[in-house]
């Protein structure tokens, strides 16, 4: 398998809300996956001035932060502060504390962590449901 055959680590989840950006983060996130994520977020911001975000970590194996362009990271943080209202993370690791280091002391983003067994509560907190293939695996 070459790099063109690799499955992306960032995978969109279709939801019952147009203004909810939901993704699975599967395995290891390479720099290209990270750059792609920021592009997907920019597209969501273009469609909706305010969005909520749900990140489900599946067999998470780290992120190549050092290989993502610094300007992309800075702009990503700025734009998140401008556009994201709530962000739910599901699964291990709980990276909320790490995310807060990139944000001001009292960020306008409401961040909340949920254990994988509490996934239904995360969806409820965001007033949404997954639709399609993964919906059958989420207890509501």
């Amino acid at each position: 398998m070459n790099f063109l055959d690799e499955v992306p680590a960032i995978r969109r989840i279709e939801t019952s809300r147009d203004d909810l950006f939901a993704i699975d983060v599967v395995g290891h996130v390479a720099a290209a996956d990270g750059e792609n994520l920021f592009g997907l977020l920019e597209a969501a911001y273009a469609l909706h001035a305010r969005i909520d975000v749900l990140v489900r970590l599946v067999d998470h194996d780290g992120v190549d932060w050092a290989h993502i362009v610094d300007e992309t990271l800075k702009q990503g943080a700025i734009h998140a502060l401008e556009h994201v209202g709530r962000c739910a993370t599901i699964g291990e690791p709980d990276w909320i504390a790490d995310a807060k280091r990139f944000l001001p002391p009292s960020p306008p983003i409401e961040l909340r962590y949920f254990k994988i067994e509490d996934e239904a509560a995360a969806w409820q907190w965001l007033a949404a449901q997954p639709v399609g293939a993964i919906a059958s695996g989420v207890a509501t």
Side-chain angles (χ1 to χ4, degrees):
M1 177 184 290
N2 68 37
F3 74 95
L4 294 175
D5 296 327
E6 291 181 22
V7 176
I10 308 296
R11 304 174 192 171
R12 291 289 310 264
I13 300 170
E14 294 298 320
T15 77
S16 59
R17 284 183 48 198
D18 288 341
D19 61 346
L20 174 62
F21 181 83
I23 58 169
D24 277 337
V25 177
V26 182
H28 185 79
V29 179
D33 294 310
E35 296 278 348
N36 183 50
L37 171 60
F38 287 112
L40 291 170
L41 282 165
E42 289 298 324
Y45 303 152
L47 294 173
H48 303 281
R50 298 291 291 169
I51 65 169
D52 289 333
V53 175
L54 180 138
V55 177
R56 187 168 62 182
L57 301 169
V58 180
D59 297 325
H60 185 62
D61 188 28
V63 178
D64 287 342
W65 292 114
H67 295 102
I68 298 174
V69 177
D70 285 342
E71 186 60 27
T72 299
L73 293 173
K74 289 176 191 172
Q75 286 299 316
I78 290 167
H79 291 167
L81 291 169
E82 294 170 348
H83 297 283
V84 177
R86 287 180 157 187
C87 179
T89 65
I90 303 167
E92 296 298 329
D94 175 0
W95 52 263
I96 296 289
D98 292 336
K100 286 184 176 180
R101 281 188 238 148
F102 290 100
L103 302 172
S106 296
I109 302 170
E110 191 175 352
L111 300 166
R112 194 158 165 199
Y113 168 74
F114 296 85
K115 293 180 180 180
I116 194 70
E117 60 266 21
D118 298 327
E119 180 174 349
W123 287 99
Q124 184 176 20
W125 184 64
L126 294 169
Q129 296 178 5
V131 296
I134 78 149
S136 61
V138 176
T140 55

